Amino acid sequence: MKLPSISRAATDARDTFRRFPLVIIDAIIGTICGLILIDAPDPSRPSVLIQIVFGAVLGFPLLTGCAITFEKLKWEKSRSLIVQLAAVVCVGLYAMTVPQDLGAAPEIHGFRLLMLTTGMVLMVFAAPYLVGHESERGYWNFCKTIILRILTAALYAVVLWGGLAIALAALDNLFGVEVPPKRYGELWACINGIFSTWFVLAGVPKEPDRLDDAREYPKGLKIFSQYILFPLVLVYLVILYAYLGKILFAWNWPQGWVSGLILGFIATGFVSLLLLHPIRDRIENVWMNTASRWFYVIIIPMIIMLFLAVWRRVSEYGFTEGRYLGIAAVVWLCVVTPYFIFSSKKKILFLASSLCMAVFVVSVGPWGMFAVSEKSQVNRLEELLIENHILVDGHVQSRHDSLRIETTRRINSIIGYLSGMHGFGAIQPWFTESLSRDTLHSGAPYKDPALVAKMMGVTYVRPML
């Protein structure tokens, strides 16, 4: 294999910048702000740079998806840039909702960024093929090319960071040059923020339509899918059906822990079938078509068991973000499974596009995971307080009868959850005294959960939600 020259690499980098100017500028700005935050003497101080980093993280997949989609639609460059600039404005509006003192803020902001970024990444894979010409083989090759590019970039980043980190350590230990520990974090941020993103963008197919006729299938990918992933699916299948038999024999509810195993089984099965999708019609791979058809039938009992396992926790302890996602996964599977069983088309694009839509739906709005979970836990807390005469006429009373230890644990469990994920804004009307701290510079914006429990006249114990 002929390695590219330095001039060739520079030319490719320049061409990539011309294709994705706003994406690369977004990555550079986010990286610079991240480096400044890492190097700051007091990282806990509020800073507008945190908002910029959040916006840059969300903006990277959004702008990438827009650029690839408009390129596939053969839009003029100026028209594409105008729409991308509008997307930048939307990202900026989102960033303004992120608190500048993120380290002291509730965790909801980080989880919301994770969900929205996941949806945007799925959009990168789905959007270009939701418009214009669509080919199953071309779409599969498009996804394969980008995923392999991402994995290659990750490998290069680890090796590059490891080599440079050892070099810094050598300067520190051999020559006495002081290298602060934060330099290693800055090195990692710089490599992933600039090198990796630029490298991945350089590998995005310039003419996706040409992928329709590509017939090459990596032998290593077939070995990995057929001899590693597929046997794992069988192992999961045996364990889960044995557990299902135990449930039916003993007539017990499934345990909540099994939901993770079910999702792992289904996800592994999806990945395995998707990787083998282009070669399923070859004569020597007839069994793949059979396995693909039966897989969606086999997972039906698993979906039912997943719903029962998650719903048991919901009925006992209310919604949290994790349980909401479990129910959302069941709903999505109830849409996807019939599609692949009864539809004559069975397009793999439906997986990415439907999952992308589902992620966005559950991430925002009063129906979303954050709003529903907060409301569910606040309602549970309200019921417990009213039942034990702590909340009377909408106001908390600190003097009341002693509580059972289980009631105390449940109250503290909800208080701890609200403190970590959402804050106490929803229950503030119950108190005459403010639940916020006097100053944001003293740490978290809300009072310690133990102090809030004390204001209710409840003994603080370690929460076990």
Side-chain angles (χ1 to χ4, degrees):
M1 181 179 66
K2 185 178 179 180
L3 297 176
S5 63
I6 294 178
S7 60
R8 178 61 182 174
T11 301
D12 290 343
R14 181 193 62 197
D15 293 342
T16 301
F17 182 82
R18 288 177 176 175
R19 285 184 70 195
F20 305 100
L22 293 183
V23 182
I24 294 177
I25 291 173
D26 171 273
I28 293 174
I29 291 175
T31 301
I32 292 174
C33 293
L35 293 175
I36 296 173
L37 287 172
I38 294 173
D39 197 55
D42 184 10
S44 63
R45 288 179 61 87
S47 173
V48 69
L49 296 179
I50 292 176
Q51 296 175 320
I52 296 176
V53 170
F54 264 59
V57 170
L58 186 61
F60 181 79
L62 173 59
L63 293 173
T64 302
C66 289
I68 297 174
T69 303
F70 300 149
E71 189 178 66
K72 191 171 186 297
L73 289 172
K74 303 187 186 307
W75 281 19
E76 294 180 359
K77 195 71 175 180
S78 58
R79 184 182 178 189
S80 173
L81 287 176
I82 290 174
V83 178
Q84 290 182 60
L85 286 173
V88 171
V89 173
C90 294
V91 169
L93 294 175
Y94 157 76
M96 292 174 62
T97 66
V98 178
Q100 296 184 7
D101 55 330
L102 185 64
E107 297 174 0
I108 182 175
H109 302 286
F111 277 94
R112 180 177 284 120
L113 175 66
L114 176 62
M115 292 297 297
L116 292 176
T117 304
T118 300
M120 293 298 180
V121 170
L122 289 169
M123 186 198 72
V124 172
F125 289 96
Y129 280 82
L130 287 174
V131 293
H133 173 68
E134 177 198 337
S135 163
E136 279 286 280
R137 182 174 295 277
Y139 177 66
W140 188 92
N141 283 317
F142 172 78
C143 294
K144 179 205 71 175
T145 302
I146 295 182
I147 291 174
L148 290 180
R149 192 74 175 185
I150 292 173
L151 294 176
T152 303
L155 176 62
Y156 288 175
V158 170
V159 173
L160 184 59
W161 180 85
L164 294 177
I166 293 174
L168 290 178
L171 290 175
D172 192 353
N173 291 279
L174 299 180
F175 297 96
V177 179
E178 184 178 358
V179 180
K182 66 174 64 176
R183 296 290 178 261
Y184 297 95
E186 292 170 352
L187 178 63
W188 179 253
C190 192
I191 290 174
N192 284 279
I194 298 178
F195 167 77
S196 295
T197 55
W198 213 311
F199 180 83
V200 170
L201 291 172
V204 175
K206 294 183 179 180
E207 298 181 10
D209 291 343
R210 289 190 175 184
L211 299 173
D212 296 350
D213 299 325
R215 301 288 175 179
E216 180 183 357
Y217 187 88
K219 184 177 180 181
L221 194 59
K222 180 180 180 181
I223 294 174
F224 174 73
S225 305
Q226 188 170 343
Y227 299 108
I228 296 179
L229 274 188
F230 196 75
L232 281 177
V233 173
L234 294 179
V235 171
Y236 275 119
L237 181 64
V238 171
I239 294 174
L240 289 172
Y241 264 88
Y243 182 69
L244 178 61
K246 176 185 175 183
I247 290 174
L248 295 176
F249 180 78
W251 203 245
N252 290 326
W253 279 79
Q255 298 295 322
W257 183 87
V258 77
S259 58
L261 194 62
I262 294 173
L263 290 174
F265 160 70
I266 295 175
T268 305
F270 277 151
V271 172
S272 180
L273 293 176
L274 289 175
L275 291 179
L276 295 170
H277 184 77
I279 58 174
R280 71 192 188 286
D281 293 326
R282 295 180 183 177
I283 297 177
E284 67 273 19
N285 299 324
V286 176
W287 64 271
M288 293 182 187
N289 264 327
T290 304
S292 177
R293 288 194 301 269
W294 279 100
F295 172 76
Y296 296 102
V297 176
I298 288 172
I299 66 174
I300 293 177
M302 302 296 103
I303 296 173
I304 297 173
M305 186 161 60
L306 173 63
F307 173 76
L308 294 176
V310 177
W311 188 252
R312 179 181 182 181
R313 300 287 292 178
V314 170
S315 61
E316 292 179 352
Y317 304 109
F319 277 99
T320 60
E321 283 72 15
R323 294 166 198 156
Y324 184 103
L325 286 177
I327 297 296
V330 171
V331 174
W332 179 73
L333 288 169
C334 287
V335 173
V336 170
T337 302
Y339 172 82
F340 281 98
I341 291 177
F342 300 110
S343 174
S344 58
K345 296 181 179 180
K346 296 180 173 56
K347 295 181 178 180
I348 58 175
L349 175 61
F350 183 76
L351 279 176
S353 57
S354 62
L355 186 57
C356 175
M357 184 180 298
V359 170
F360 284 130
V361 167
V362 304
S363 299
V364 296
W367 58 81
M369 57 187 287
F370 303 108
V372 170
S373 297
E374 181 182 25
K375 184 176 181 180
S376 173
Q377 294 302 318
V378 169
N379 288 342
R380 285 186 62 234
L381 180 60
E382 184 177 18
E383 291 175 3
L384 286 170
L385 297 183
I386 292 176
E387 181 182 338
N388 291 276
H389 309 292
I390 301 174
L391 186 64
V392 180
D393 297 329
H395 296 282
V396 165
Q397 311 293 322
S398 59
R399 296 184 178 181
H400 48 77
D401 296 336
S402 60
L403 305 176
R404 294 181 302 170
I405 186 63
E406 179 61 26
T407 302
T408 301
R409 286 185 180 277
R410 290 193 175 190
I411 291 175
N412 278 278
S413 175
I414 300 172
I415 292 174
Y417 163 81
L418 293 175
S419 173
M421 182 60 70
H422 299 278
F424 295 125
I427 63 174
Q428 177 62 70
W430 301 347
F431 297 83
T432 56
E433 182 180 348
S434 175
L435 299 181
S436 300
R437 290 186 183 272
D438 296 332
T439 171
L440 295 181
H441 295 290
S442 62
Y446 292 100
K447 295 183 184 298
D448 187 87
L451 182 57
V452 175
K454 184 178 180 181
M455 294 168 65
M456 295 179 179
V458 177
T459 304
Y460 181 74
V461 293
R462 185 176 297 276
M464 299 178 64
L465 186 63

